[in-house]
Amino acid sequence: LQTRMQSLQPDPKAQYRSVYEALKKIVLTEGFWRPLRGINVTMLGAGPAHAMYFACYEKMKKSLSDTIQHGGNSHLANGIAGSVATLLHDAVMNPAEVVKQRMQMFNSPYKSVLECVRTVQKTEGFSAFYRSYTTQLTMNIPFQAIHFITYEFMQEQINPHRDYNPRSHIVSGAIAGAVAAAATTPLDVCKTLLNTQENMALTSVNISGHLSGMVNAFKTVYQLGGISGYFRGVQARVIYQMPSTAIAWSVYEFFKYFLTKHKLEKRT
């Protein structure tokens, strides 16, 4: 839904006024499973990407907090650790995101993930899978910095003793995801344009070939939609990120608690 709603020059048959209308229209005209196209490639990359992401975050957060605040909770350390973890995460997830978004576009010519990968590789080269990598980092580094700082801040407020408390992890994760998602929507719109290379959008502003680079994407979005163009799909983005970050943090905190408890029991 987010990919469709961020389309800058959509096909007349793919114009939506709200998240609900978009979902209803896609299911009725393109089938029940259409909104989930490309999810398999995302799931394939998500496991290793998140493993590296949280392992790097924990290690860096501890090291930096010890240096900056002598073992206390440092918001600066949280932000830096989240930013560095993003570099590893996005190196795995960027190609998966490109494939997923191309398969989710209206009238997508690809019938399968493998066909999409082969066609993009053959027609645009391997670099197409990383064309939006710098943009992804430009978006995700501030997103993750805001996300981690907000999560740790919320934990300080509602779970100051840092006990394992599923409700506090879900609430903190959801709020952190919503704040970070809303703040970085303009960057996400640019990333979607770079990933999908919308022909109608690029033709309407006389761009031939492939659009590349954050600066060009920002200019193109402004030419096509003005200031409001940067916030296309903000509602869908927030709705998507809130449960996503809430689930991610609650699962992560559960395994962190479970493994720590298990390790302590083995020692005693």
Side-chain angles (χ1 to χ4, degrees):
L1 294 185
Q2 184 182 322
T3 301
R4 294 283 187 95
M5 293 187 78
Q6 285 181 345
S7 177
L8 294 163
Q9 291 284 315
D11 186 285
K13 293 177 184 175
Q15 290 180 349
Y16 316 109
R17 284 171 299 196
S18 69
V19 175
Y20 174 73
E21 187 201 338
L23 183 61
K24 185 180 172 185
K25 202 170 179 180
I26 291 168
V27 168
L28 288 174
T29 59
E30 300 173 55
F32 181 77
W33 298 108
R34 192 65 173 84
L36 297 177
R37 279 200 83 192
I39 197 169
N40 50 347
V41 72
T42 305
M43 289 170 69
L44 193 68
H50 277 78
M52 290 190 294
Y53 175 65
F54 279 114
C56 178
Y57 173 70
E58 276 298 326
K59 181 68 178 169
M60 283 210 68
K61 182 179 81 164
K62 190 176 185 308
S63 301
L64 290 170
S65 291
D66 287 344
T67 306
I68 299 168
Q69 212 156 312
H70 307 294
N73 180 43
S74 165
H75 292 307
L76 179 61
N78 299 334
I80 295 170
S83 300
V84 175
T86 303
L87 292 170
L88 294 174
H89 176 271
D90 286 2
V92 176
M93 288 304 293
N94 202 84
E97 184 76 2
V98 172
V99 174
K100 185 197 79 172
Q101 289 196 316
R102 289 195 181 222
M103 290 189 73
Q104 288 178 344
M105 289 299 288
F106 182 75
N107 273 343
S108 173
Y110 312 110
K111 291 183 176 66
S112 70
V113 167
L114 201 58
E115 185 196 339
C116 182
V117 171
R118 283 175 177 164
T119 307
V120 172
Q121 166 70 32
K122 191 176 177 182
T123 58
E124 299 176 47
F126 181 74
S127 63
F129 295 108
Y130 282 94
R131 189 180 286 130
S132 67
Y133 183 55
T134 51
T135 308
Q136 183 91 333
L137 289 176
T138 308
M139 179 189 76
N140 278 356
I141 286 173
F143 176 92
Q144 297 302 353
I146 295 167
H147 171 210
F148 281 109
I149 289 168
T150 307
Y151 178 80
E152 298 288 357
F153 173 77
M154 287 304 300
Q155 282 292 284
E156 279 184 344
Q157 305 307 308
I158 62 178
N159 186 18
H161 299 297
R162 298 305 176 100
D163 300 321
Y164 173 62
N165 183 332
R167 187 181 293 175
S168 83
H169 302 316
I170 290 169
V171 171
S172 298
I175 292 171
V179 170
T184 57
T185 297
L187 297 162
D188 195 46
V189 172
C190 294
K191 183 203 74 173
T192 297
L193 181 61
L194 286 169
N195 274 351
T196 57
Q197 300 289 316
E198 288 178 68
N199 288 328
M200 286 178 72
L202 300 184
T203 304
S204 68
V205 287
N206 298 319
I207 294 174
S208 57
H210 300 298
L211 182 70
S212 63
M214 176 61 119
V215 175
N216 289 335
F218 253 96
K219 285 178 182 174
T220 307
V221 171
Y222 185 75
Q223 281 178 279
L224 291 162
I227 296 296
S228 62
Y230 292 120
F231 290 92
R232 289 184 71 92
V234 64
Q235 186 187 6
R237 182 164 159 77
V238 169
I239 290 169
Y240 165 76
Q241 286 295 347
M242 283 182 77
S244 173
T245 47
I247 292 166
W249 276 111
S250 57
V251 171
Y252 169 68
E253 294 282 8
F254 167 75
F255 279 104
K256 184 178 167 184
Y257 166 75
F258 176 77
L259 293 170
T260 306
K261 187 183 175 188
H262 185 66
K263 194 182 280 186
L264 284 171
E265 283 173 355
K266 277 182 78 177
R267 279 180 188 169
T268 54

